[in-house]
Amino acid sequence: MASCCIALQISCIYPKGSVPQKLNQLNLSYSSSFKPLLRELQQKNPILDVQKRLKEASVKLLDAFVDSMFLFVDQPLLPSQSNFAPVEEIGETVDLFEVEGEIPDDFPQGVYIRNGPNPPFGGLKSTISIFGKSSNTWIEGEGMLHALYFDTNKDGNWTIHYNNKIVQTETYKIEKLKGKPAFLPAIEGDSIAILSAYLLNKLRFGEFNKCLSNTNIFEHSGKLYSIAENHMPQRIDIQTLHSLGNWKVLEDWDRPFTSHPKKDPRTGELICMGIDAQKPYFVLGVISANGKDVVHKVDLKFNRCTLCHELSITQRYNVIPDFPLTIDINRLSSGGPLIKYSPKEYARIGVMPRYGDADSVLWFEVESCCVFHILNCFEDGHEVVVRACRAKGSIIPGPDFGLEKYEWFSQGFKKNENVAEENNAKELQSGFLFSRTCEWRLNFKTGEVKEKLITGTRFSMDFPMVNENFIGLRNKYGYTQVVDSTASSIAGMAKYGGLAKLHFEEQNVEYSSDKTQYDDSIKVEYHMLPQNTFCSGAAFIANPEGLEEDDGWIITFVHNEDNDISQVYIIDAKKFSSDPIVKITLPCRVPYGFHSSFIPTDKSSKL
């Protein structure tokens, strides 16, 4: 106790990092001599342990209150939603032998790894109590990593292995130890139920909600991280998929971390952001190429908490989307939803120098819409060009509580060329979740914005990717997953029935029979999957010996719902519409998930 007081007094007198060496030595000496005495007193005089005992008793009382007042119930899945159900860990790495086709000689050795939600205890839950009802949303569930290892043996033949594993966050360990659901759902539901969930979760576990770590997986400076933007990145051992705890460099990063940081391929720096429901709402950071320091951290002074899922970069600038999907505690406390898309509010895109501050951001007002994923950004003279997937409505979190969730999602996924301008609860219109590729040209000399849709209404598309060597540079090609609107409408959940290759510098020369705006304005190639087969976690793998931007492969997990078999497809990006060159059958079902990465062996061997 005394040593703690001395340390506190010293820290109040001297700023962090400037404590004189002699005082530091005195504090350490005093602390090291006092600690054994303190331990002895605690053993002889239990009254010194009263605070700990009171805390333990209060937690037990809170646990008993939750157990008696909150009923956890399963959220049932429709037959069409069967592959959204969780799976068990397989326990150890499995060799794969059922391979159709031949892996090319110039295909890089490495690890293809995808993240996705895998709810424990059988699936997503709702709770019912005197405070009302709250529910897990479809994006929740512990992160599960699914990994394929591509190696060659001494004879030069390919060997392929598979493994899966839950990301062992601290909050997952709490529930695993209890052997039952413990955290109360705190995103969707009656406002009083959500507020009570926040309070009780914080009092019992020190966290408002679970650290899910289920959205993306990325590498930086020879280390691999799993991430969802409600918490910190979790370091992962790439060989075993074991979780190694929070990213240590971010100990002074007092907020969540984006699911989509951007690595500058020229400098190796990692540009990130963190959003929070209380001020500062949006903080941008730059992490050094060696991963040891946060070299730049700035509050951009937002006046609302925007649920911003991804930022982007050019060679010199950071590109910041600010669209009207917001998190608002005040709205929740007044009876409204915590997360809400408000299409009548402003939408804007910011361009700031790499090491700029809030005053250096140039903001461009754009048409109100919802954007989660960005294909790429680059500089073109006095313009910054932004390409992203945009829709008229937000898939997160879903309808206002009390509306029929399945009907809402089903209507949103239906294909409708007259996409709804806004989500009207009384008069649902089809197609408000239909996502198209949009291009914004932001002129930072004149302030002018040129905005146009470059893909048509044939297919909704999202989950974009590019050759990562071209991040921040003008690129010719982009790739997306293609929504099966019919299957998604039936399931009330997004299913991706194919892939698209976007040729940004080639105009479309094909027209539909009735000459409507049915086709894309740029050339688009499609790779459609067999009926009732859907993909997730697609990634572009660049040919290490390739000379052209599209010299490489698309790799993706796929699942056939007719035979319940999961596979991995490898598609030649230059022969995009042709059959996959390789199909690898997996030993177990792989649920639909989110984002992935391919880590070449020259990097993965160091992880």
Side-chain angles (χ1 to χ4, degrees):
M1 293 286 290
S3 62
C4 292
C5 292
I6 289 176
L8 179 61
Q9 291 168 359
I10 290 172
S11 66
C12 290
I13 297 171
Y14 296 96
K16 183 178 179 181
S18 64
V19 181
Q21 185 177 2
K22 288 185 178 180
L23 284 177
N24 265 329
Q25 292 171 348
L26 173 62
N27 185 33
L28 289 172
S29 174
Y30 189 91
S31 176
S32 60
S33 63
F34 187 78
K35 283 180 179 178
L37 176 60
L38 180 60
R39 284 196 296 268
E40 184 178 349
L41 285 171
Q42 286 177 329
Q43 292 171 359
K44 293 181 178 180
N45 190 354
I47 197 170
L48 295 177
D49 204 29
V50 167
Q51 185 176 4
K52 178 182 178 182
R53 293 176 183 273
L54 285 173
K55 182 178 179 181
E56 291 175 349
S58 64
V59 170
K60 288 181 179 178
L61 285 172
L62 287 169
D63 285 345
F65 174 77
V66 169
D67 289 342
S68 63
M69 300 299 293
F70 289 82
L71 175 65
F72 282 88
V73 295
D74 294 325
Q75 294 184 25
L77 290 175
L78 300 171
S80 58
Q81 300 170 339
S82 60
N83 197 46
F84 291 95
V87 295
E88 298 294 327
E89 295 178 336
I90 62 172
E92 59 184 18
T93 301
V94 176
D95 296 336
L96 303 182
F97 300 104
E98 194 173 342
V99 180
E100 179 184 335
E102 293 186 5
I103 299 175
D105 292 337
D106 49 1
F107 189 85
Q109 297 183 65
V111 184
Y112 169 50
I113 184 167
R114 196 218 68 192
N115 207 341
N118 201 80
F121 312 112
L124 298 173
K125 308 294 180 184
S126 298
T127 56
I128 301 171
S129 71
I130 59 172
F131 304 107
K133 182 179 179 181
S134 66
S135 302
N136 292 135
T137 66
W138 63 273
I139 58 173
E140 294 185 86
E142 310 298 333
M144 175 175 267
L145 304 175
H146 299 264
L148 258 70
Y149 299 82
F150 293 87
D151 300 295
T152 54
N153 58 27
K154 61 181 180 181
D155 298 323
N157 298 318
W158 285 97
T159 63
I160 308 172
H161 317 280
Y162 167 79
N163 198 4
N164 68 4
K165 196 168 292 293
I166 293 286
V167 181
Q168 299 266 339
T169 64
E170 292 304 314
T171 57
Y172 170 75
K173 292 176 184 177
I174 291 172
E175 288 196 324
K176 185 178 180 182
L177 185 63
K178 288 180 174 291
K180 63 180 182 179
F183 280 81
L184 301 172
I187 294 180
E188 174 189 277
D190 294 310
S191 57
I192 299 300
I194 294 176
L195 287 169
S196 64
Y198 272 118
L199 176 62
L200 289 167
N201 287 342
K202 185 68 173 179
L203 289 173
R204 296 165 71 209
F205 308 119
E207 298 284 352
F208 290 115
N209 208 346
K210 288 196 291 186
C211 169
L212 299 174
S213 201
N214 67 8
T215 308
N216 202 1
I217 187 87
F218 68 92
E219 176 272 334
H220 185 62
S221 186
K223 295 181 176 63
L224 188 71
Y225 300 96
S226 171
I227 183 65
E229 58 223 2
N230 72 328
H231 209 268
M232 305 285 280
Q234 306 290 302
R235 188 179 169 193
I236 303 295
D237 183 318
I238 198 169
Q239 300 302 328
T240 65
L241 301 185
H242 287 151
S243 305
L244 304 175
N246 286 352
W247 190 356
K248 299 301 183 184
V249 74
L250 298 179
E251 288 179 347
D252 63 339
W253 186 269
D254 57 346
R255 59 187 37 252
F257 191 89
T258 178
S259 293
H260 291 282
K262 286 291 186 295
K263 182 183 289 190
D264 188 323
R266 294 154 294 279
T267 67
E269 292 177 322
L270 193 73
I271 292 79
C272 63
M273 65 181 178
I275 62 171
D276 206 328
Q278 55 187 349
K279 289 185 177 181
Y281 295 127
F282 190 113
V283 171
L284 183 138
V286 180
I287 298 173
S288 60
N290 62 14
K292 295 181 179 179
D293 301 291
V294 180
V295 296
H296 188 59
K297 181 181 175 184
V298 57
D299 171 13
L300 294 191
K301 302 187 185 305
F302 275 35
N303 60 12
R304 65 184 182 185
C305 177
T306 300
L307 204 170
C308 184
H309 183 62
E310 182 168 18
L311 81 170
S312 192
I313 60 172
T314 69
Q315 286 182 285
R316 295 179 295 168
Y317 300 106
N318 307 315
V319 179
I320 304 137
D322 182 10
F323 293 93
L325 175 64
T326 59
I327 303 172
D328 192 336
I329 297 293
N330 292 328
R331 183 171 59 218
L332 177 66
S333 61
S334 62
L338 176 66
I339 302 172
K340 184 177 178 63
Y341 175 65
S342 304
K344 293 183 179 179
E345 292 187 11
Y346 65 86
R348 60 182 185 167
I349 301 174
V351 178
M352 67 174 285
R354 178 74 79 247
Y355 291 95
D357 56 19
D359 294 332
S360 70
V361 183
L362 293 177
W363 289 106
F364 297 84
E365 298 287 331
V366 299
E367 181 183 339
S368 187
C369 61
C370 190
V371 171
F372 286 108
H373 298 118
I374 299 172
L375 279 115
N376 199 22
C377 301
F378 59 90
E379 298 162 36
D380 186 13
H382 295 299
E383 293 180 327
V384 166
V385 180
V386 181
R387 292 172 179 152
C389 297
R390 54 159 283 185
K392 286 294 183 182
S394 173
I395 195 172
I396 295 176
D400 289 346
F401 193 69
L403 296 179
E404 213 293 316
K405 184 187 296 189
Y406 170 78
E407 180 186 359
W408 188 90
F409 278 109
S410 180
Q411 287 289 97
F413 286 122
K414 286 181 179 177
K415 188 164 71 172
N416 185 346
E417 295 180 20
N418 299 315
V419 177
E421 290 299 320
E422 62 179 278
N423 304 341
N424 189 324
K426 296 180 180 178
E427 187 180 350
L428 290 177
Q429 301 180 57
S430 297
F432 52 84
L433 298 179
F434 194 97
S435 180
R436 300 168 66 181
T437 305
C438 185
E439 178 182 279
W440 293 268
R441 287 186 166 268
L442 314 176
N443 192 312
F444 50 82
K445 188 173 183 180
T446 66
E448 182 184 9
V449 177
K450 296 177 182 178
E451 180 175 349
K452 66 177 181 179
L453 293 163
I454 58 176
T455 58
T457 57
R458 183 181 180 189
F459 291 114
S460 174
M461 56 185 68
D462 206 341
F463 283 77
M465 69 213 93
V466 297
N467 183 331
E468 291 186 353
N469 295 317
F470 287 80
I471 289 177
L473 300 174
R474 177 191 286 272
N475 60 314
K476 294 181 179 179
Y477 308 103
Y479 308 86
T480 67
Q481 295 178 187
V482 173
V483 177
D484 185 321
S485 295
T486 300
S488 299
S489 178
I490 292 171
M493 300 183 80
K495 292 183 178 181
Y496 297 88
L499 300 156
K501 179 180 180 180
L502 312 181
H503 296 250
F504 295 121
E505 297 185 358
E506 295 184 52
Q507 295 299 307
N508 183 26
V509 295
E510 298 179 356
Y511 297 94
S512 58
S513 58
D514 57 0
K515 307 295 182 182
T516 64
Q517 192 189 0
Y518 187 76
D519 291 284
D520 310 296
S521 62
I522 61 170
K523 178 181 176 180
V524 181
E525 291 182 82
Y526 293 97
H527 183 104
M528 303 311 294
L529 301 174
Q531 187 174 6
N532 294 329
T533 301
F534 307 99
C535 65
S536 69
F540 180 87
I541 303 174
N543 186 336
E545 300 177 4
L547 300 177
E548 298 179 310
E549 181 187 335
D550 63 343
D551 196 346
W553 303 268
I554 299 293
I555 189 168
T556 182
F557 283 93
V558 301
H559 183 75
N560 185 313
E561 294 188 353
D562 289 335
N563 58 25
D564 205 30
I565 291 176
S566 294
Q567 295 180 303
V568 165
Y569 283 7
I570 300 176
I571 299 162
D572 188 334
K574 281 187 167 294
K575 301 174 181 177
F576 191 77
S577 299
S578 301
D579 291 339
I581 59 172
V582 177
K583 296 180 181 180
I584 305 164
T585 300
L586 302 174
C588 61
R589 181 174 64 84
V590 176
Y592 303 129
F594 297 140
H595 300 282
S596 70
S597 292
F598 184 87
I599 315 297
T601 295
D602 59 348
K603 291 183 178 180
S604 65
S605 61
K606 302 174 185 178
L607 294 178

